[in-house]
Amino acid sequence: MSAIVIVVDPSAPDPAALAPAAAVLRDGGLVAFPTETVYGLGANALDAAAVARIFVAKGRPAHDPLIVHVLDLAGAAEVAAELPPLARRLAEHFWPGPLTLVLPRSSALPPAVSAGLDSVALRSPAHPVARALLAAAGLPVAAPSANRFGHVSPTTARHVLADLGERVDVVVDGGPATLGVESTVVDVRGAVPLVLRPGGVTLEQLAAVAPGSHLAQRQGEPTGPQASPGLLSRHYAPRALVCLVQGAPEMVARAMVEIAERLAARGRRVGALVAAEDLAAFDAGPDIQRICLGGLDDPASAARQLYAALHDLDAAGVDWIVARDWGDAGLGLALRDRLTRAAEGRAVDTRAGPWDHVWAEVAAADRRRFGDGHTPGG
Ligand code: TXA
Ligand code: MG
């Protein structure tokens, strides 16, 4: 059975239209809904059986905790055991919005929500449709991104239907997500915010409110024991294999074209995620499908389009995606995080000199996926 789709006005959703979705949540069902970051797959966070259905629908391992969505600090107080002053300060600045706070978990929540951890991740979404649904349901709503585990996150209802269509009861269609990357996940149980996953609230914004805010782990480092399972190495990944390229702008364009040419020579269909500044180099290069995510000075525009572009290149059937880096300022950090994971760490840094070792990893991944022959990949 495919999901029931409810189309609503993203800026002024009709409460009557959302009533059936709220009822499904109260009855223990699954409702996919838009937030400003990505679409979420929601269930009643207080109902252990409903929460279990999320893990089944996504194929998500039970050790990966969910984010619980609430309307405000009062809602947070019902599911967190305590709200330390740092948490209150960040919530006052950034809620509603793309910031998720990791706090001590209240015993009101079934342990499975947090994968048995003694913490819980809480977020108050800004999207009018998400807020109207939370208000209508009158419940805290557990909601990971509405995709199968490890896949690219959905930024439209169509993405949700394509990935999870038979596995959800209702999909609320409120148009494309406006931000396009997930929330920033911050552990606020210590003296300063520890960023477990960079996202929609930038490190600069956090540091302006809470000096000392820092990343739990440097970007691109091999992952050790997981503080946050969103840090797993292959995640946010399209079906196509991905290679990331970073460095000075002209060098990046040249390296991307070279990698694309080498892959095309192996018989692969190649797609590229490029900036406006790269287009000239690609015009002279091989005939590959490229999607321009905007100017390098506008990582927010790239973030908004990234997941739809990955979905589109998968739909076009490319074997490889060569993607450029957008720097580490602002939303560039979240882009780098997602692309590094999509690329399973295959990242060329043109500033670091010759990149033969990265090409060797690309070629090895290519052989593992497509074999040794020079025939077009399937
Ligand atoms: O923007 C978002 O955050 C979206 C929308 C739907 O709200 N949700 C989302 O959920 O991205 P999900 O499940 O795809 O990612 C949740 C992230 C994971 O990296 C998870 O490991 C981390 O939050 N997380 C959840 N609970 C945690 C906890 N108690 N401690 C540490 N990390 C936690
Ligand atoms: Mg996710």
Side-chain angles (χ1 to χ4, degrees):
M1 265 277 285
S2 197
I4 294 166
V5 178
I6 299 176
V7 181
V8 294
D9 177 345
S11 49
D14 175 5
L18 286 173
V24 166
L25 285 175
R26 281 193 299 270
D27 289 347
L30 297 184
V31 176
F33 61 96
T35 83
E36 69 277 27
T37 58
V38 299
Y39 272 68
L41 177 62
N44 178 358
L46 302 173
D47 177 345
V51 167
R53 291 191 63 206
I54 292 180
F55 285 90
V56 172
K58 282 191 59 115
R60 183 175 178 117
H63 59 72
D64 195 352
L66 308 177
I67 293 175
V68 176
H69 296 68
V70 296
L71 275 175
D72 48 28
L73 269 169
E78 288 169 22
V79 285
E82 114 186 64
L83 293 174
L86 177 59
R88 288 183 185 278
R89 185 143 49 92
L90 292 182
E92 276 155 17
H93 270 88
F94 298 110
W95 279 10
L99 183 71
T100 295
L101 302 174
V102 175
L103 291 159
R105 177 169 60 86
S106 149
S107 55
L109 281 175
V113 170
S114 298
L117 299 173
D118 57 8
S119 58
V120 62
L122 297 181
R123 157 161 135 78
S124 168
H127 197 294
V129 175
R131 298 191 68 74
L133 183 63
L134 284 171
L139 295 165
V141 172
S145 53
N147 52 278
R148 295 199 195 193
F149 184 68
H151 287 196
V152 176
S153 301
T155 53
T156 66
R158 191 172 49 81
H159 294 155
V160 177
L161 288 164
D163 207 23
L164 290 175
E166 276 99 65
R167 298 171 173 224
V168 294
D169 300 307
V170 174
V171 176
V172 178
D173 183 349
T178 45
L179 198 61
V181 287
E182 296 84 351
S183 63
T184 304
V185 179
V186 183
D187 190 337
V188 286
R189 289 170 297 170
V192 292
L194 187 63
V195 177
L196 303 178
R197 176 179 74 179
V201 169
T202 67
L203 196 52
E204 294 91 329
Q205 288 173 312
L206 275 176
V209 174
S213 299
H214 62 282
L215 276 183
Q217 152 185 46
R218 260 182 289 137
Q219 297 304 290
E221 244 174 35
T223 48
Q226 302 300 317
S228 184
L231 303 178
L232 283 169
S233 57
R234 182 176 164 88
H235 218 96
Y236 310 102
R239 188 193 45 73
L241 294 165
V242 177
C243 177
L244 176 63
V245 184
Q246 54 195 100
E250 338 72 54
M251 301 289 286
V252 168
R254 215 173 306 151
M256 289 176 85
V257 168
E258 185 168 345
I259 293 165
E261 273 169 349
R262 291 188 194 182
L263 287 167
R266 293 172 77 96
R268 303 298 165 243
R269 283 165 296 178
V270 185
L273 292 182
V274 305
E277 288 87 339
D278 302 325
L279 287 171
F282 275 85
D283 285 342
D287 182 23
I288 64 168
Q289 180 154 358
R290 50 193 178 255
I291 298 181
C292 178
L293 300 181
L296 280 176
D297 60 348
D298 192 3
S301 155
R304 189 159 53 242
Q305 300 173 71
L306 173 69
Y307 290 146
L310 291 173
H311 283 289
D312 288 349
L313 288 175
D314 263 353
V318 303
D319 302 314
W320 274 91
I321 296 170
V322 184
R324 76 128 52 242
D325 179 68
W326 295 79
D328 57 7
L331 288 174
L333 197 60
L335 282 167
R336 178 180 293 175
D337 173 77
R338 305 303 187 272
L339 285 169
T340 301
R341 295 177 206 297
E344 302 170 87
R346 287 180 295 270
V348 165
D349 186 345
T350 59
R351 288 162 306 202
W355 39 270
D356 309 339
H357 59 292
V358 183
W359 172 254
E361 283 173 37
V362 168
D366 187 74
R367 268 193 305 278
R368 278 195 301 275
R369 172 84 56 106
F370 302 110
D372 274 313
H374 280 226
T375 50

